[in-house]
Amino acid sequence: MKKYEIEINNEVYRVAVKELSADAEMSTEQTPTESTSETQPTAQPVTSAEGTEVKAPMPGTILKVNVSAGQSVAEGEALVVLEAMKMENEVVAPADGVVGEIFVNANDRVEADQILLTI
């Protein structure tokens, strides 16, 4: 698998792409894929004097905040669970660090690009 970041309409997404052999048949059928953190929406980090801002990748409702202020986190660790369009999406840490301020709680409605927390 090769990993890439793509930007669509100023939204950054991390994707994993499987490389096929030259003789593999191409198909237009959709095949089920295993859901991984690689396919989860990733908030675009913005670094400021207060740290890296982790923003909501889309509008929705916060189901769970998995971290607390002062907690150490690793890149890719699930910080917040956001429900959007009846799907649960994990917002993951863009880098290793320590959680600074948390701006949301469970059941809060958020808009796209709203700051959820800082690292």
Side-chain angles (χ1 to χ4, degrees), residues 3-4 7 9-10 23 26 29 31 33 46 48 57 68 71 76 104 118:
K3 297 177 183 178
Y4 298 94
E7 183 174 338
N9 296 331
N10 295 323
D23 60 342
M26 297 300 290
E29 291 181 24
T31 56
T33 57
V46 176
S48 68
S68 56
Q71 179 179 336
V104 294
T118 59

Side-chain angles (χ1 to χ4, degrees), residues 1 5 9 12 18 21-22 32-33 35 54 61 67 72 75 82 84 89 92 97-99 101 108 113 116 119:
M1 290 274 199
E5 281 190 357
N9 296 331
V12 175
K18 182 177 181 181
S21 63
T33 57
S35 178
V54 178
T61 302
V67 294
S72 292
E75 180 177 358
L82 172 70
N89 303 281
V92 299
V98 176
V99 176
E101 192 169 355
D108 285 356
D113 294 325
L116 304 175
I119 296 180

Side-chain angles (χ1 to χ4, degrees), residues 27-76:
S27 170
T28 57
E29 291 181 24
Q30 279 190 317
T31 56
T33 57
E34 194 175 307
S35 178
T36 67
S37 63
E38 297 301 315
T39 59
Q40 296 297 326
T42 303
Q44 185 173 5
V46 176
T47 304
S48 68
E50 292 79 34
T52 301
E53 297 175 342
V54 178
K55 296 182 178 184
M58 64 190 76
T61 302
I62 301 297
L63 293 181
K64 185 176 182 182
V65 178
N66 295 332
V67 294
S68 56
Q71 179 179 336
S72 292
V73 294
E75 180 177 358

Side-chain angles (χ1 to χ4, degrees), residues 4-25:
Y4 298 94
E5 281 190 357
I6 60 171
E7 183 174 338
I8 301 172
N9 296 331
N10 295 323
E11 295 287 330
V12 175
Y13 298 91
R14 289 185 182 168
V15 295
V17 179
K18 182 177 181 181
E19 189 171 354
L20 301 176
S21 63
D23 60 342
E25 285 189 36

